[in-house]
Structures are given as C-alpha cells and as structure tokens.
Amino acid sequence: MTFSEKLLELRKKQGMSQEELAEKLEVSRQAVSRWEQGSAMPDVINLARISKLFGVTADYLINDEITSDREVPIVKKTESDMKKQGREIGFRILICLEFFGMFWQIIGYATSPFYGRGMLWMFGGFGVMIGLIGIFAFEIIYRGLPETPQYRRTFYTTVTWCITLAPMAIAVELASHFVVVPYPYLLYRFGEVAAYLLFNLIATAIIRSMYNKK
C-alpha cells in the first residue's frame, strides 16, 4: 500500500473528512487532497503529526511494503502492553474478590460465639461461594496465557488463605463431636486457628514449589 492509500484508509476509519483532517494537522484541505491522490507527500513535521494522530509509526506510513499497522513492531508492542495491562487489572479484581469472600467468612467466624454456629455456616458458606466464583473466573480468563504460572502461584496462594477459614473452623467443630474428654472453650478456638494456619502454610509451600518449577 502506498502512503496515499494508507492515509485515505486511516482517515475513513476515523470517520474524518478531508476538511477535519486538514484542521487537525493545521494544513489546507487541498494539501490533504494532494497527499491522498499521491501527487504530493507531507514534510517531516506533517508526517510526524499524521503518525501521532492515527497512532501508527512513520515506518508504516512511508514504507509501501508494510500493508498493516499491525506489522509494525512498535504497534504490536503497544497492543501487547494493553492486553497485558488488561489482564493485570482483571487479576487484581479477582484477588479482591477472594478477599471479599474472606471478609464474609470472618464475619461468620467472629459472630458465631454470640449468635450460634449457624452464623459461621451461613456467612462462611456465602464467603466460600464468592471464592469459588473467583476461581471459576480465573480459570476461564487465564488458562493457557503466557503469564499463567506467575498468576497461578500468586492467585492460588491467596485463595488458600482466603477460602479455607470457614471450612477449617467447621471441620474442627465436627471433629470436636468425637472428643469425649471435656476441653476449655479457648482451647477449642485455638485448635481452629492452629488448623487454619498449619493447613495454609503447607498448602502455600506446595503451591509455590509447583509453580516455581514452571
């Protein structure tokens, strides 16, 4: 594609008339018309303005062998950076979703001594459901992407700490029904916290070792 063809295509993609383009470049409409007809070429200053206006490189504009702005390395890099930035924003949102799920589990755990263990089951279950939604969304969005091992290591390390508070407390509660010997209430609560910490420390070590190898 020649410069005149590329300029015409870029202008039409932006829905500009020759007058509008000329106004933005601070040149006459006749100058734009001559460029698009191929009877004249813009000077270096106007070429730089056109490049900046349409978000393409000067190489793309003046090199007839380059038929698409996607073939220009700098444009490819820009598109890649934008996609990567979008993935990072999405990743942060999913991490926040996991912490939001943990927030509801904490509410259930903190209120259960005053309002009964049903609070843990209700709020904790709601928090776990939010965490599972985050996992499902993560697997859909990030499966097979180049950054997946890095994202997986961070995401699932966070998940282990955020999603297991209520389940571990409930597991300790169920296990306590099989204990015949009486035990202090504080010891019971300590057992819940200890089980939560021990499980997550082990899980974190396993997850990091798994994805550090990739």
Side-chain angles (χ1 to χ4, degrees), residues 52-125:
K52 182 178 180 181
L53 177 63
F54 293 113
V56 297
T57 65
D59 286 339
Y60 165 70
L61 292 172
I62 62 178
N63 192 334
D64 293 349
E65 295 179 359
I66 300 177
T67 58
S68 171
D69 57 351
R70 295 180 182 274
E71 296 176 17
V72 182
I74 189 170
V75 176
K76 281 187 173 182
K77 184 176 185 299
T78 300
E79 291 181 348
S80 176
D81 289 346
M82 290 178 63
K83 290 180 181 178
K84 185 176 180 180
Q85 185 178 13
R87 290 196 294 265
E88 288 178 352
I89 292 173
F91 180 73
R92 292 189 180 99
I93 292 174
L94 291 177
I95 290 291
C96 290
L97 185 65
E98 294 300 322
F99 280 109
F100 183 63
M102 185 180 187
F103 168 76
W104 287 103
Q105 293 181 69
I106 292 174
I107 289 179
Y109 185 78
T111 57
S112 61
F114 308 101
Y115 301 103
R117 300 299 281 182
M119 300 297 290
L120 178 61
W121 285 80
M122 181 174 65
F123 287 109

Side-chain angles (χ1 to χ4, degrees), residues 11-23:
R11 177 174 66 78
K12 288 186 175 180
K13 280 184 178 179
Q14 293 294 326
M16 291 185 193
S17 64
Q18 287 186 343
E19 290 82 358
E20 290 171 331
L21 178 57
E23 183 179 348

